[in-house]
Structure formats: C-alpha cells, structure tokens
Amino acid sequence: MIDRIGGFWSCFIKGALMNILNPYIIGFWLSVSGVVMILPSVIMGFSGLVISIVSWVVFLSFIVSRSRKFIGAKTQMAFAYISAILMAGFAIMLIFNIFLKG
C-alpha cells in the first residue's frame, strides 16, 4: 500500500512541476494576466488569476496521475505521436504565416 501511495505522490509532484515549469503554460497565463490587469478591480483579477493557476496545476496533475492506470502504454504513445504531429503542424503554420506569407 505504501508503494502505491509513494508512486501516486511521486507522479503527482512530477506532473505539477512539469506544469509549473512549462513555458507554454507560463506564456498562456501571462497573456491572461494582461487581460486581467485592465479589469476595474486589479486585486480581484489578480486573486482570481492566482487561484486559477494553482487550480489548473493541481487538478491537471491529479487527473494525469490518476489516468495512468486506465491508459495503456500503446495509448500513451499514440497520444504522444498525435501531439507531436499537431505541434509540428502548428509550428509549420506559424512559420509560414510569419515568414513566408506576404
């Protein structure tokens, strides 16, 4: 039982750290914070932003750590390949739109 609990917390902490240090997530929340700063109540907006960030990191990490037992290794690899293809497609579109289009 202790191994399972240790494995759960280890996976949970790894997922949380990956989310906290992910530059795409940081960029997303920085862009959201720009919108929050133009709200009439900056303190309320900032508080909501911090609560949202913490909730996102904690709940996403929890969901990922819990879904490991339902998703097999082949399915994980399929998700990884599909994600890589989608990211490459968006990168190609971005490069095309910035550098090659008109």
Side-chain angles (χ1 to χ4, degrees):
M1 181 74 174
I2 292 175
D3 260 354
R4 284 183 163 175
I5 293 172
F8 166 76
W9 285 109
S10 173
C11 185
F12 180 80
I13 290 170
K14 286 178 191 175
L17 287 175
M18 287 177 61
N19 270 308
I20 290 171
L21 300 175
N22 186 340
Y24 296 110
I25 293 175
I26 293 169
F28 170 76
W29 286 113
L30 287 175
S31 66
V32 169
S33 67
V35 173
V36 168
M37 292 304 155
I38 63 172
L39 294 176
S41 174
V42 174
I43 294 173
M44 275 300 254
F46 183 73
S47 300
L49 179 66
V50 170
I51 291 169
S52 299
I53 290 171
V54 170
S55 299
W56 178 260
V57 168
V58 169
F59 289 123
L60 182 63
S61 301
F62 179 76
I63 289 168
V64 168
S65 69
R66 283 298 185 187
S67 67
R68 287 187 65 153
K69 63 182 174 182
F70 299 114
I71 298 174
K74 289 183 179 181
T75 306
Q76 288 177 6
M77 287 300 292
F79 280 132
Y81 285 127
I82 291 169
S83 298
I85 291 168
L86 288 172
M87 288 185 348
F90 284 122
I92 291 168
M93 284 176 35
L94 182 65
I95 290 170
F96 177 77
N97 286 330
I98 290 176
F99 298 112
L100 303 174
K101 186 179 177 184

